Structures are given as C-alpha cells and as structure tokens.
Amino acid sequence: MSHIGSYDERLRDFSWEISEKELDYRPGKEINIGWYCSDRICLQGKAEKTALIWEGLMGHERKLTYDDLRKTSNTIGQYLRDLGIEAGDRVCLFMDKIPELYIGFVGILKTGAIAQPLFSAFGDESLFVRLENAGTRAIITQKKHAPKVRKIMDKLPDLEYLIIVDHDPARPLGAKERTLDLWNMPWVDAFSIYPTFAETPSVLHYTSGTTGQPKGVKHVHYSLISQYLTTKWVLDVRDDDIYWCTADPGWVTGTSYGIIGPFSMGATQCVMDVGFSAEAWYKFIEKHRITVWYSAPTAIRSLMKAGNELVTRFDLSCLRHLASVGEPLNSEAVIWSEKVFGKPFYDTYWQTETGSIMISNYPGMKIKPGSMGKPFPGIEACVVDPKTFEPIPESGKIGLIGFKPGWPSMMRMYWNNETTYQNKFKNGWYMPGDRSSIDNEGYFWFVGRDDDVINTGGHLVSPFEVESALLENEMVAESAVVSKPDDINMEVVKAFVTLKPGFEGNKDTELVIMNFIRKKLSPLAMPQEIEFVPNLPKTRSGKIMRRILKAKEWGEEIGDTSTLEDD
Ligand code: PRX
C-alpha cells in the first residue's frame, strides 16, 4: 500500500482542506504559485536542494538549487516589472525546454502577470492567433524562434516586447526587442512578490476545439491546491524522489506536473531537451537515477517498438513509480511495462481545462490494464446520457463523462469566449467532451472523444485549424481534416482536399501544399497525407461531414447518413 494511505481511506475523509493545510494556506489569504515553487521551499530549509537538473544537446547540463530558482525567478520578475509589465498582463513563453522556460514561468507568476506558454514548434500562423486572442504584451523566446515572432509582430499592436534570452550581440536589435541574459547578470535576492489571491489568473494555456480558433484556458493561483495534492497522491512524488515529467511546458502536463507540482513539493526534477530516442531516454533514467517518471502512451509505444533487449542494457532499477497521460493507454503497454521495468504504467486522465488529474490509477489500487482508473478523491465524476445529460446508473454503458464543477484547478473561463465556456456545462456537469463507461467496481474505461478533435501522439489538433491553413493556399477550394489510425501515435492527421479549376491533384501538388502549411502549423498538426477528391460529403446546409470521411479511414460503418444530411 502507498505511504499516503489507501484510495478508500482517502475517499472517506477527503476535503481539499487537507491540501490547504499542508500548504499553510487559509482561505482569503494570499496565494502565489511562484512563491510556493521557490521561496517557500527555501524557507523550509531546502535552499541548497537541487530543484532542476537540465540536459540539452551535446551533453550541455545545468543544475539549479531551490535558492537558484528563487533568485533567477526573482531576476526575471524584476526584469519584467522594470519593463512595465503589470499584474494581469499576458507574458508568453515561447522556448524549447531550456531552464529559462521553467524559471520564466515561476518569475512571471511572481509579478502577478499571466504566464502564456506556447509550444516552440508552432509556426507563425499558430503563434499569431494565440497571441492575438490573448492580447499578449511580451514574449520571451530564443534567437532561433525570434524570426517567427518578428514576422507577425506588426500585426500585433498589443505585443510591446520581444525578449530574447540568448541574443547574438552581433545582430542589431529591433525597436521592440530586448535581451535577457540570465547567466551573465546579477541575480535579484529580494523581490516583492505581487499579492495574488485564490482567484487571481495565473496561466493561460491554448487548447484546440472542433470549430473556431484555439481557446485560451484561464487558470488561477488556487489551482495549486489540486496540482500539489495530485502530484503527491497520484504521481506519488516524495521528498527524496528524482522526478522526470517528459512533457513540454507548452502543454498543460508540462506546467501542472512539469513545474507547479514538483516544485511546490520541493522535489528534484530532471528535464531533457533532446529529441526522442529510446536509448537516450533509458540512459537519462539510469544516469540521474530517476525514481518517478510521468510520460505518455505514444512515447511508451515507441519504447516498446525499440524492443526489450535495449532495456536490459541499462540499470533502471531506480524507477519506483510510472504514470502516463494524454491518450488511451492500451493494456499491452501496461503489461509490457510490468514485464520490462517490473512496474506498470499508471494511467491518468485529465485535460487542459481541468488543470489537474481527474481520474487515475491511484498508487496501491488494483490496476485494470486498459482502464483509466477512478476519480481522484474530491472529484465527483459520472457518465451521462448524451441526450438528457442525466447520469447513467447502469455499469458498462457508454455515456459522456461529466464532472461536478468546484475542484480547485478547474479553468475559470475561455479567454474572451464566454459562450464556448458556458457550452461546456450541461445539466450542472462540466463536460470534457469524452466518452467512457464505468464498470461495476467504479473504474472508468475510455471510449473516445465526442467531437472531431484529433488526438495525435497525445496532442490535440483542431481539424478547423488545419483546414484553415489549407484554405489559404491558392490551389485549394475546400478541405476536410480527419484522423486515421496509426500504430505509434494512435491517430494521425489526414486531409481531404478539392482543388480549384485548373489544378491537378498529384504528388507535386501535395508537396507544394504541404510546404505551404508547414510554415503555418506545428509539426504535430501536419497531415501525414493529403487525398485529392472531386468533392466532399456535405449536409444539405453545406456543412462538411467529416464523420463520413473518418469512418472510411477507420474501416467503420458509416451508419445512417440521412439524418446527417438534414443537419
Ligand atoms: O480526450 C482526452 C485525452 O486528451 C484530452 C485532453 O487533452 P489536453 O487538454 O491536451 O490535455 C492532455 C494532458 C492532460 C482529453 O479530453 N486524454 C487525456 N488523458 C487521457 C486521454 N484519453 C484517454 N486516456 C487518458 N488517460
């Protein structure tokens, strides 16, 4: 059984006050995630403890103690404040997984500004819509990503500063450009942290939906209460652990459990800013003696593909607890992990909007491979009927997942998008948009998404965003983007395109269109294939029926299309 008590015990006496008390937080008092992640840990006597072990390309390594994290985040906070950044301003972090990303996140929160992390592989179009929607005031980036920002800066009147952390002095700076060389400037020891409270906005993460532009998910400082406790109880992070979360902080896992969770617990965490290779990952675990590892099904499937023999070449006995998130974790992956690591991967389910783990296989609980587990204590979850939104009492019946609103890390709003936010609630339940069943022991079994959003390798891709990029090409008349099955990524993006008169759909055309959209989208959203078709299936009102195209890709029954035609 786990050192933190069994799942059933925790359910019985649960209240979020447990977390508040452990964090010495009392309702109505100040709460600042940046302070919790650095200053508080130093005040607990752990100033010299290692907070971050970072490894980049070519063996480049950096280690930071909690005192270093405190001072460097103060330094970034002071720097931003001196520029005139104020509480509530959106400051974007647009970097690879370098130390400045982690420190910058903590520093921004200390100023009371809102941290807006964006995946550094985004093309300029993806970047533009997210910065424009947020009205971002400053962006912190690396010289290699700065050109993408320069390209769109003139169209973003709110964007006052482009801050480069590794600027090449030989290159003249533009009017709005600034440099921030954290490693060659004096660090700020004392910084007056902005007094943030439970409902003060903290983080703005962008997520993709089926229709419309990506939505900015607004979180608040109070989210710490659930992020801290789930890190402790679900990921089972303890004081002496060496923790590795493989997610990029451009996405929610990389901030909730790659920054806030581990740092607020005072754990030591490792970050690897090198592309995926099974060998490099095992080497990393062995070298740093990683004990808790939080990863994703696509990575696990890639490791499986690399074979069992490779695992035996490394001493991975350090691993104590493994967890996974982002997409369905197939039972084969759980069984494989038990075989090669001697431990299963514990599946966890949540999303950008929920801010923290909602359903999971809790340490010590019986794992049913293929199931997402049970709701975290304090989370009321059910599956509801898709028409009445009433909870389905029978076990095994598929419905839509519903959560009773009110847990600390629930999103507070979609940025500038109240209507879409309100639409996420039905009959008093928050609807994450996923289908599941619940078995007779209360375990949730994921079935699929309830919309057209594509989950490729654990990353949500909006068909709308890809279709919009395609439509900007002069040859494209119409487009429909759906998923198709894939062994490793579970699903990948496929585009159907009709061309304008005079253009011919062939390999050359496909290449030209692919190159055209590559600059606009992130590599994750890129279609693996474009199929040229004479026309697309549509409803009578002219809406494209992606569902029909998708069913074909998955070899499924198309079903009754007459109702769809009526739209
Ligand atoms: O469809 C579910 C899927 O990923 C969605 C959330 O994606 P995102 O907001 O990008 O956050 C990802 C990391 C928290 C969910 O609505 N998903 C997430 N975890 C699982 C999952 N699908 C199946 N099993 C999971 N464990």
Side-chain angles (χ1 to χ4, degrees), residues 207 251-253 294 297 324-329 347-353 359 372 432-434 446 448-449 455 458-460:
T207 186
W251 313 103
V252 74
T253 309
Y294 195 25
S324 161
V325 66
E327 350 145 40
L329 180 65
D347 194 12
T348 69
Y349 164 92
W350 56 293
Q351 56 172 195
T352 309
E353 287 88 338
I359 297 174
M372 306 194 289
D434 289 309
F446 184 83
R449 284 201 60 95
N455 187 339
H459 296 288
L460 300 191

PDB file of all heavy atoms in Angstrom, residues 207 251-253 294 297 324-329 347-353 359 372 432-434 446 448-449 455 458-460, ligand 1:
ATOM      1  N   THR A 207      -5.845  25.520 -26.120  1.00  0.00           N
ATOM      2  CA  THR A 207      -6.213  24.154 -26.497  1.00  0.00           C
ATOM      3  C   THR A 207      -7.120  24.201 -27.706  1.00  0.00           C
ATOM      4  O   THR A 207      -7.794  25.210 -27.941  1.00  0.00           O
ATOM      5  CB  THR A 207      -6.883  23.422 -25.314  1.00  0.00           C
ATOM      6  OG1 THR A 207      -7.099  22.056 -25.664  1.00  0.00           O
ATOM      7  CG2 THR A 207      -8.217  24.039 -24.938  1.00  0.00           C
ATOM      8  N   TRP A 251       2.452  22.618 -23.183  1.00  0.00           N
ATOM      9  CA  TRP A 251       1.180  21.940 -22.950  1.00  0.00           C
ATOM     10  C   TRP A 251       0.972  21.792 -21.456  1.00  0.00           C
ATOM     11  O   TRP A 251       1.914  21.820 -20.677  1.00  0.00           O
ATOM     12  CB  TRP A 251       1.171  20.564 -23.626  1.00  0.00           C
ATOM     13  CG  TRP A 251       1.658  20.613 -25.033  1.00  0.00           C
ATOM     14  CD1 TRP A 251       2.881  20.234 -25.485  1.00  0.00           C
ATOM     15  CD2 TRP A 251       0.952  21.134 -26.174  1.00  0.00           C
ATOM     16  NE1 TRP A 251       2.975  20.452 -26.836  1.00  0.00           N
ATOM     17  CE2 TRP A 251       1.806  21.000 -27.286  1.00  0.00           C
ATOM     18  CE3 TRP A 251      -0.330  21.669 -26.363  1.00  0.00           C
ATOM     19  CZ2 TRP A 251       1.437  21.404 -28.566  1.00  0.00           C
ATOM     20  CZ3 TRP A 251      -0.700  22.068 -27.640  1.00  0.00           C
ATOM     21  CH2 TRP A 251       0.179  21.931 -28.722  1.00  0.00           C
ATOM     22  N   VAL A 252      -0.278  21.547 -21.077  1.00  0.00           N
ATOM     23  CA  VAL A 252      -0.628  21.623 -19.659  1.00  0.00           C
ATOM     24  C   VAL A 252       0.114  20.627 -18.762  1.00  0.00           C
ATOM     25  O   VAL A 252       0.462  20.953 -17.629  1.00  0.00           O
ATOM     26  CB  VAL A 252      -2.163  21.508 -19.482  1.00  0.00           C
ATOM     27  CG1 VAL A 252      -2.633  20.079 -19.711  1.00  0.00           C
ATOM     28  CG2 VAL A 252      -2.623  22.052 -18.158  1.00  0.00           C
ATOM     29  N   THR A 253       0.395  19.426 -19.247  1.00  0.00           N
ATOM     30  CA  THR A 253       1.111  18.473 -18.391  1.00  0.00           C
ATOM     31  C   THR A 253       2.469  19.042 -17.989  1.00  0.00           C
ATOM     32  O   THR A 253       2.925  18.873 -16.856  1.00  0.00           O
ATOM     33  CB  THR A 253       1.308  17.113 -19.108  1.00  0.00           C
ATOM     34  OG1 THR A 253       0.045  16.681 -19.602  1.00  0.00           O
ATOM     35  CG2 THR A 253       1.884  16.071 -18.191  1.00  0.00           C
ATOM     36  N   TYR A 294       6.799  10.382 -15.379  1.00  0.00           N
ATOM     37  CA  TYR A 294       5.449  10.681 -15.893  1.00  0.00           C
ATOM     38  C   TYR A 294       5.568  10.908 -17.393  1.00  0.00           C
ATOM     39  O   TYR A 294       6.239  11.840 -17.831  1.00  0.00           O
ATOM     40  CB  TYR A 294       4.920  11.936 -15.196  1.00  0.00           C
ATOM     41  CG  TYR A 294       3.419  12.178 -15.341  1.00  0.00           C
ATOM     42  CD1 TYR A 294       2.529  11.145 -15.586  1.00  0.00           C
ATOM     43  CD2 TYR A 294       2.896  13.461 -15.188  1.00  0.00           C
ATOM     44  CE1 TYR A 294       1.167  11.368 -15.683  1.00  0.00           C
ATOM     45  CE2 TYR A 294       1.528  13.701 -15.286  1.00  0.00           C
ATOM     46  CZ  TYR A 294       0.667  12.644 -15.533  1.00  0.00           C
ATOM     47  OH  TYR A 294      -0.687  12.879 -15.637  1.00  0.00           O
ATOM     48  N   PRO A 297       1.442   7.705 -23.627  1.00  0.00           N
ATOM     49  CA  PRO A 297       1.327   6.445 -24.370  1.00  0.00           C
ATOM     50  C   PRO A 297       2.130   6.380 -25.659  1.00  0.00           C
ATOM     51  O   PRO A 297       2.715   5.345 -25.961  1.00  0.00           O
ATOM     52  CB  PRO A 297      -0.178   6.345 -24.647  1.00  0.00           C
ATOM     53  CG  PRO A 297      -0.805   7.060 -23.505  1.00  0.00           C
ATOM     54  CD  PRO A 297       0.116   8.213 -23.219  1.00  0.00           C
ATOM     55  N   SER A 324       1.216   7.751 -16.740  1.00  0.00           N
ATOM     56  CA  SER A 324       1.032   8.133 -18.142  1.00  0.00           C
ATOM     57  C   SER A 324      -0.200   9.005 -18.292  1.00  0.00           C
ATOM     58  O   SER A 324      -1.149   8.895 -17.526  1.00  0.00           O
ATOM     59  CB  SER A 324       0.868   6.837 -18.949  1.00  0.00           C
ATOM     60  OG  SER A 324       0.263   7.082 -20.197  1.00  0.00           O
ATOM     61  N   VAL A 325      -0.194   9.852 -19.303  1.00  0.00           N
ATOM     62  CA  VAL A 325      -1.344  10.725 -19.568  1.00  0.00           C
ATOM     63  C   VAL A 325      -1.414  11.131 -21.030  1.00  0.00           C
ATOM     64  O   VAL A 325      -0.416  11.102 -21.733  1.00  0.00           O
ATOM     65  CB  VAL A 325      -1.277  12.016 -18.717  1.00  0.00           C
ATOM     66  CG1 VAL A 325      -0.112  12.898 -19.097  1.00  0.00           C
ATOM     67  CG2 VAL A 325      -2.581  12.818 -18.841  1.00  0.00           C
ATOM     68  N   GLY A 326      -2.585  11.543 -21.456  1.00  0.00           N
ATOM     69  CA  GLY A 326      -2.707  12.239 -22.730  1.00  0.00           C
ATOM     70  C   GLY A 326      -3.531  11.531 -23.778  1.00  0.00           C
ATOM     71  O   GLY A 326      -4.150  12.158 -24.613  1.00  0.00           O
ATOM     72  N   GLU A 327      -3.526  10.210 -23.758  1.00  0.00           N
ATOM     73  CA  GLU A 327      -4.282   9.429 -24.738  1.00  0.00           C
ATOM     74  C   GLU A 327      -4.532   8.079 -24.105  1.00  0.00           C
ATOM     75  O   GLU A 327      -3.947   7.764 -23.072  1.00  0.00           O
ATOM     76  CB  GLU A 327      -3.505   9.222 -26.050  1.00  0.00           C
ATOM     77  CG  GLU A 327      -2.267  10.006 -26.217  1.00  0.00           C
ATOM     78  CD  GLU A 327      -1.206   9.216 -26.962  1.00  0.00           C
ATOM     79  OE1 GLU A 327      -1.528   8.512 -27.922  1.00  0.00           O
ATOM     80  OE2 GLU A 327      -0.045   9.304 -26.574  1.00  0.00           O
ATOM     81  N   PRO A 328      -5.355   7.287 -24.762  1.00  0.00           N
ATOM     82  CA  PRO A 328      -5.627   5.974 -24.191  1.00  0.00           C
ATOM     83  C   PRO A 328      -4.340   5.168 -24.023  1.00  0.00           C
ATOM     84  O   PRO A 328      -3.528   5.084 -24.942  1.00  0.00           O
ATOM     85  CB  PRO A 328      -6.543   5.327 -25.234  1.00  0.00           C
ATOM     86  CG  PRO A 328      -7.108   6.459 -26.019  1.00  0.00           C
ATOM     87  CD  PRO A 328      -6.097   7.547 -26.001  1.00  0.00           C
ATOM     88  N   LEU A 329      -4.174   4.615 -22.846  1.00  0.00           N
ATOM     89  CA  LEU A 329      -3.013   3.760 -22.575  1.00  0.00           C
ATOM     90  C   LEU A 329      -3.475   2.322 -22.772  1.00  0.00           C
ATOM     91  O   LEU A 329      -4.213   1.785 -21.938  1.00  0.00           O
ATOM     92  CB  LEU A 329      -2.528   3.988 -21.137  1.00  0.00           C
ATOM     93  CG  LEU A 329      -1.331   3.165 -20.692  1.00  0.00           C
ATOM     94  CD1 LEU A 329      -0.086   3.533 -21.486  1.00  0.00           C
ATOM     95  CD2 LEU A 329      -1.059   3.361 -19.202  1.00  0.00           C
ATOM     96  N   ASP A 347      -2.204   4.760 -15.495  1.00  0.00           N
ATOM     97  CA  ASP A 347      -2.859   5.724 -16.391  1.00  0.00           C
ATOM     98  C   ASP A 347      -3.498   6.849 -15.581  1.00  0.00           C
ATOM     99  O   ASP A 347      -4.032   6.621 -14.488  1.00  0.00           O
ATOM    100  CB  ASP A 347      -3.935   5.002 -17.217  1.00  0.00           C
ATOM    101  CG  ASP A 347      -4.414   5.838 -18.397  1.00  0.00           C
ATOM    102  OD1 ASP A 347      -3.766   6.861 -18.708  1.00  0.00           O
ATOM    103  OD2 ASP A 347      -5.430   5.467 -19.016  1.00  0.00           O
ATOM    104  N   THR A 348      -3.426   8.059 -16.112  1.00  0.00           N
ATOM    105  CA  THR A 348      -4.124   9.202 -15.504  1.00  0.00           C
ATOM    106  C   THR A 348      -4.869   9.933 -16.611  1.00  0.00           C
ATOM    107  O   THR A 348      -4.393  10.005 -17.744  1.00  0.00           O
ATOM    108  CB  THR A 348      -3.151  10.186 -14.820  1.00  0.00           C
ATOM    109  OG1 THR A 348      -2.367  10.841 -15.828  1.00  0.00           O
ATOM    110  CG2 THR A 348      -2.237   9.503 -13.823  1.00  0.00           C
ATOM    111  N   TYR A 349      -6.022  10.448 -16.280  1.00  0.00           N
ATOM    112  CA  TYR A 349      -6.866  11.134 -17.265  1.00  0.00           C
ATOM    113  C   TYR A 349      -7.215  12.532 -16.764  1.00  0.00           C
ATOM    114  O   TYR A 349      -7.662  12.694 -15.622  1.00  0.00           O
ATOM    115  CB  TYR A 349      -8.148  10.346 -17.498  1.00  0.00           C
ATOM    116  CG  TYR A 349      -9.235  11.145 -18.200  1.00  0.00           C
ATOM    117  CD1 TYR A 349      -9.362  11.121 -19.582  1.00  0.00           C
ATOM    118  CD2 TYR A 349     -10.116  11.940 -17.461  1.00  0.00           C
ATOM    119  CE1 TYR A 349     -10.346  11.867 -20.221  1.00  0.00           C
ATOM    120  CE2 TYR A 349     -11.104  12.684 -18.094  1.00  0.00           C
ATOM    121  CZ  TYR A 349     -11.210  12.644 -19.462  1.00  0.00           C
ATOM    122  OH  TYR A 349     -12.171  13.384 -20.097  1.00  0.00           O
ATOM    123  N   TRP A 350      -7.017  13.512 -17.598  1.00  0.00           N
ATOM    124  CA  TRP A 350      -7.441  14.876 -17.295  1.00  0.00           C
ATOM    125  C   TRP A 350      -7.281  15.684 -18.562  1.00  0.00           C
ATOM    126  O   TRP A 350      -7.027  15.127 -19.632  1.00  0.00           O
ATOM    127  CB  TRP A 350      -6.661  15.467 -16.118  1.00  0.00           C
ATOM    128  CG  TRP A 350      -5.158  15.476 -16.247  1.00  0.00           C
ATOM    129  CD1 TRP A 350      -4.336  14.385 -16.270  1.00  0.00           C
ATOM    130  CD2 TRP A 350      -4.312  16.622 -16.365  1.00  0.00           C
ATOM    131  NE1 TRP A 350      -3.029  14.788 -16.387  1.00  0.00           N
ATOM    132  CE2 TRP A 350      -2.984  16.147 -16.439  1.00  0.00           C
ATOM    133  CE3 TRP A 350      -4.535  17.995 -16.389  1.00  0.00           C
ATOM    134  CZ2 TRP A 350      -1.885  17.009 -16.560  1.00  0.00           C
ATOM    135  CZ3 TRP A 350      -3.449  18.840 -16.494  1.00  0.00           C
ATOM    136  CH2 TRP A 350      -2.132  18.350 -16.589  1.00  0.00           C
ATOM    137  N   GLN A 351      -7.420  17.009 -18.497  1.00  0.00           N
ATOM    138  CA  GLN A 351      -7.261  17.813 -19.708  1.00  0.00           C
ATOM    139  C   GLN A 351      -6.883  19.245 -19.330  1.00  0.00           C
ATOM    140  O   GLN A 351      -6.893  19.612 -18.144  1.00  0.00           O
ATOM    141  CB  GLN A 351      -8.530  17.778 -20.557  1.00  0.00           C
ATOM    142  CG  GLN A 351      -9.752  18.214 -19.824  1.00  0.00           C
ATOM    143  CD  GLN A 351     -10.994  18.377 -20.689  1.00  0.00           C
ATOM    144  OE1 GLN A 351     -11.949  18.984 -20.251  1.00  0.00           O
ATOM    145  NE2 GLN A 351     -11.008  17.859 -21.891  1.00  0.00           N
ATOM    146  N   THR A 352      -6.550  20.023 -20.341  1.00  0.00           N
ATOM    147  CA  THR A 352      -6.099  21.394 -20.116  1.00  0.00           C
ATOM    148  C   THR A 352      -7.090  22.134 -19.211  1.00  0.00           C
ATOM    149  O   THR A 352      -6.696  22.820 -18.269  1.00  0.00           O
ATOM    150  CB  THR A 352      -5.974  22.130 -21.471  1.00  0.00           C
ATOM    151  OG1 THR A 352      -5.200  21.319 -22.362  1.00  0.00           O
ATOM    152  CG2 THR A 352      -5.300  23.472 -21.308  1.00  0.00           C
ATOM    153  N   GLU A 353      -8.358  21.970 -19.496  1.00  0.00           N
ATOM    154  CA  GLU A 353      -9.390  22.684 -18.755  1.00  0.00           C
ATOM    155  C   GLU A 353      -9.474  22.261 -17.289  1.00  0.00           C
ATOM    156  O   GLU A 353      -9.837  23.062 -16.432  1.00  0.00           O
ATOM    157  CB  GLU A 353     -10.762  22.462 -19.409  1.00  0.00           C
ATOM    158  CG  GLU A 353     -10.959  23.194 -20.715  1.00  0.00           C
ATOM    159  CD  GLU A 353     -10.483  22.408 -21.938  1.00  0.00           C
ATOM    160  OE1 GLU A 353      -9.642  21.505 -21.780  1.00  0.00           O
ATOM    161  OE2 GLU A 353     -10.962  22.704 -23.042  1.00  0.00           O
ATOM    162  N   ILE A 359      -9.095  11.520 -13.128  1.00  0.00           N
ATOM    163  CA  ILE A 359      -9.345  10.075 -12.970  1.00  0.00           C
ATOM    164  C   ILE A 359      -7.981   9.405 -13.095  1.00  0.00           C
ATOM    165  O   ILE A 359      -7.196   9.779 -13.965  1.00  0.00           O
ATOM    166  CB  ILE A 359     -10.298   9.565 -14.081  1.00  0.00           C
ATOM    167  CG1 ILE A 359     -11.675  10.252 -13.948  1.00  0.00           C
ATOM    168  CG2 ILE A 359     -10.429   8.047 -14.041  1.00  0.00           C
ATOM    169  CD1 ILE A 359     -12.634   9.936 -15.078  1.00  0.00           C
ATOM    170  N   MET A 372      -8.792   3.727 -17.129  1.00  0.00           N
ATOM    171  CA  MET A 372      -8.158   4.969 -16.656  1.00  0.00           C
ATOM    172  C   MET A 372      -8.149   5.047 -15.131  1.00  0.00           C
ATOM    173  O   MET A 372      -7.551   5.937 -14.563  1.00  0.00           O
ATOM    174  CB  MET A 372      -8.930   6.183 -17.178  1.00  0.00           C
ATOM    175  CG  MET A 372      -9.116   6.197 -18.682  1.00  0.00           C
ATOM    176  SD  MET A 372      -9.656   7.790 -19.267  1.00  0.00           S
ATOM    177  CE  MET A 372     -11.343   7.869 -18.672  1.00  0.00           C
ATOM    178  N   PRO A 432     -16.110  17.282 -20.346  1.00  0.00           N
ATOM    179  CA  PRO A 432     -14.798  17.363 -21.007  1.00  0.00           C
ATOM    180  C   PRO A 432     -14.825  16.967 -22.482  1.00  0.00           C
ATOM    181  O   PRO A 432     -13.852  17.159 -23.190  1.00  0.00           O
ATOM    182  CB  PRO A 432     -13.927  16.402 -20.195  1.00  0.00           C
ATOM    183  CG  PRO A 432     -14.870  15.471 -19.528  1.00  0.00           C
ATOM    184  CD  PRO A 432     -16.156  16.223 -19.321  1.00  0.00           C
ATOM    185  N   GLY A 433     -15.948  16.365 -22.935  1.00  0.00           N
ATOM    186  CA  GLY A 433     -16.043  16.008 -24.361  1.00  0.00           C
ATOM    187  C   GLY A 433     -15.522  14.622 -24.667  1.00  0.00           C
ATOM    188  O   GLY A 433     -15.086  14.359 -25.790  1.00  0.00           O
ATOM    189  N   ASP A 434     -15.542  13.733 -23.670  1.00  0.00           N
ATOM    190  CA  ASP A 434     -15.047  12.369 -23.882  1.00  0.00           C
ATOM    191  C   ASP A 434     -16.119  11.348 -23.535  1.00  0.00           C
ATOM    192  O   ASP A 434     -16.956  11.590 -22.664  1.00  0.00           O
ATOM    193  CB  ASP A 434     -13.817  12.109 -22.999  1.00  0.00           C
ATOM    194  CG  ASP A 434     -12.609  12.884 -23.481  1.00  0.00           C
ATOM    195  OD1 ASP A 434     -12.293  12.798 -24.669  1.00  0.00           O
ATOM    196  OD2 ASP A 434     -11.996  13.596 -22.658  1.00  0.00           O
ATOM    197  N   PHE A 446     -12.125   4.440 -21.032  1.00  0.00           N
ATOM    198  CA  PHE A 446     -12.210   5.470 -22.079  1.00  0.00           C
ATOM    199  C   PHE A 446     -12.673   4.850 -23.391  1.00  0.00           C
ATOM    200  O   PHE A 446     -12.201   3.782 -23.793  1.00  0.00           O
ATOM    201  CB  PHE A 446     -10.828   6.095 -22.257  1.00  0.00           C
ATOM    202  CG  PHE A 446     -10.775   7.240 -23.223  1.00  0.00           C
ATOM    203  CD1 PHE A 446     -11.127   8.513 -22.827  1.00  0.00           C
ATOM    204  CD2 PHE A 446     -10.359   7.040 -24.539  1.00  0.00           C
ATOM    205  CE1 PHE A 446     -11.076   9.582 -23.711  1.00  0.00           C
ATOM    206  CE2 PHE A 446     -10.300   8.096 -25.430  1.00  0.00           C
ATOM    207  CZ  PHE A 446     -10.662   9.370 -25.007  1.00  0.00           C
ATOM    208  N   GLY A 448     -13.664   7.215 -26.380  1.00  0.00           N
ATOM    209  CA  GLY A 448     -13.199   8.089 -27.457  1.00  0.00           C
ATOM    210  C   GLY A 448     -13.686   9.504 -27.230  1.00  0.00           C
ATOM    211  O   GLY A 448     -14.409   9.778 -26.268  1.00  0.00           O
ATOM    212  N   ARG A 449     -13.291  10.386 -28.114  1.00  0.00           N
ATOM    213  CA  ARG A 449     -13.756  11.763 -27.983  1.00  0.00           C
ATOM    214  C   ARG A 449     -15.156  11.881 -28.567  1.00  0.00           C
ATOM    215  O   ARG A 449     -15.558  11.094 -29.430  1.00  0.00           O
ATOM    216  CB  ARG A 449     -12.794  12.714 -28.687  1.00  0.00           C
ATOM    217  CG  ARG A 449     -11.525  12.937 -27.871  1.00  0.00           C
ATOM    218  CD  ARG A 449     -10.839  14.211 -28.283  1.00  0.00           C
ATOM    219  NE  ARG A 449     -11.665  15.372 -28.092  1.00  0.00           N
ATOM    220  CZ  ARG A 449     -11.651  16.161 -27.016  1.00  0.00           C
ATOM    221  NH1 ARG A 449     -10.846  15.891 -26.021  1.00  0.00           N
ATOM    222  NH2 ARG A 449     -12.417  17.218 -26.954  1.00  0.00           N
ATOM    223  N   ASN A 455      -6.542  13.489 -31.587  1.00  0.00           N
ATOM    224  CA  ASN A 455      -5.516  13.353 -30.556  1.00  0.00           C
ATOM    225  C   ASN A 455      -4.370  12.550 -31.158  1.00  0.00           C
ATOM    226  O   ASN A 455      -4.390  11.333 -31.215  1.00  0.00           O
ATOM    227  CB  ASN A 455      -6.099  12.636 -29.334  1.00  0.00           C
ATOM    228  CG  ASN A 455      -5.135  12.622 -28.166  1.00  0.00           C
ATOM    229  OD1 ASN A 455      -3.923  12.777 -28.348  1.00  0.00           O
ATOM    230  ND2 ASN A 455      -5.649  12.446 -26.970  1.00  0.00           N
ATOM    231  N   GLY A 458      -0.942  12.249 -28.285  1.00  0.00           N
ATOM    232  CA  GLY A 458      -1.229  12.955 -27.041  1.00  0.00           C
ATOM    233  C   GLY A 458      -1.426  14.444 -27.221  1.00  0.00           C
ATOM    234  O   GLY A 458      -1.600  15.176 -26.248  1.00  0.00           O
ATOM    235  N   HIS A 459      -1.410  14.922 -28.453  1.00  0.00           N
ATOM    236  CA  HIS A 459      -1.606  16.346 -28.698  1.00  0.00           C
ATOM    237  C   HIS A 459      -2.898  16.562 -29.462  1.00  0.00           C
ATOM    238  O   HIS A 459      -3.138  15.924 -30.485  1.00  0.00           O
ATOM    239  CB  HIS A 459      -0.438  16.940 -29.482  1.00  0.00           C
ATOM    240  CG  HIS A 459       0.839  16.883 -28.723  1.00  0.00           C
ATOM    241  ND1 HIS A 459       1.092  17.687 -27.640  1.00  0.00           N
ATOM    242  CD2 HIS A 459       1.921  16.087 -28.845  1.00  0.00           C
ATOM    243  CE1 HIS A 459       2.271  17.391 -27.136  1.00  0.00           C
ATOM    244  NE2 HIS A 459       2.800  16.421 -27.846  1.00  0.00           N
ATOM    245  N   LEU A 460      -3.686  17.492 -28.951  1.00  0.00           N
ATOM    246  CA  LEU A 460      -4.965  17.740 -29.600  1.00  0.00           C
ATOM    247  C   LEU A 460      -4.772  18.657 -30.797  1.00  0.00           C
ATOM    248  O   LEU A 460      -4.135  19.699 -30.706  1.00  0.00           O
ATOM    249  CB  LEU A 460      -5.944  18.400 -28.625  1.00  0.00           C
ATOM    250  CG  LEU A 460      -6.288  17.628 -27.365  1.00  0.00           C
ATOM    251  CD1 LEU A 460      -7.453  18.287 -26.638  1.00  0.00           C
ATOM    252  CD2 LEU A 460      -6.623  16.175 -27.656  1.00  0.00           C
TER     253      LEU A 460
HETATM  254  O1  PRX B   1      -9.618  13.137 -24.895  1.00  0.00           O
HETATM  255  C1  PRX B   1      -8.939  13.119 -23.659  1.00  0.00           C
HETATM  256  C2  PRX B   1      -7.459  12.837 -23.902  1.00  0.00           C
HETATM  257  O2  PRX B   1      -6.836  14.083 -24.060  1.00  0.00           O
HETATM  258  C3  PRX B   1      -7.792  15.127 -23.846  1.00  0.00           C
HETATM  259  C4  PRX B   1      -7.160  16.291 -23.148  1.00  0.00           C
HETATM  260  O3  PRX B   1      -6.145  16.809 -23.930  1.00  0.00           O
HETATM  261  P1  PRX B   1      -5.326  18.069 -23.421  1.00  0.00           P
HETATM  262  O4  PRX B   1      -6.265  19.123 -22.977  1.00  0.00           O
HETATM  263  O5  PRX B   1      -4.347  18.404 -24.475  1.00  0.00           O
HETATM  264  O6  PRX B   1      -4.573  17.556 -22.130  1.00  0.00           O
HETATM  265  C5  PRX B   1      -3.696  16.474 -22.251  1.00  0.00           C
HETATM  266  C6  PRX B   1      -2.966  16.186 -20.968  1.00  0.00           C
HETATM  267  C7  PRX B   1      -3.695  16.359 -19.706  1.00  0.00           C
HETATM  268  C8  PRX B   1      -8.897  14.503 -23.043  1.00  0.00           C
HETATM  269  O7  PRX B   1     -10.103  15.229 -23.142  1.00  0.00           O
HETATM  270  N1  PRX B   1      -6.869  12.124 -22.749  1.00  0.00           N
HETATM  271  C9  PRX B   1      -6.137  12.637 -21.747  1.00  0.00           C
HETATM  272  N2  PRX B   1      -5.750  11.662 -20.904  1.00  0.00           N
HETATM  273  C10 PRX B   1      -6.259  10.513 -21.368  1.00  0.00           C
HETATM  274  C11 PRX B   1      -6.980  10.810 -22.556  1.00  0.00           C
HETATM  275  N3  PRX B   1      -7.630   9.857 -23.258  1.00  0.00           N
HETATM  276  C12 PRX B   1      -7.575   8.593 -22.796  1.00  0.00           C
HETATM  277  N4  PRX B   1      -6.904   8.232 -21.680  1.00  0.00           N
HETATM  278  C13 PRX B   1      -6.231   9.155 -20.933  1.00  0.00           C
HETATM  279  N5  PRX B   1      -5.556   8.794 -19.854  1.00  0.00           N
END
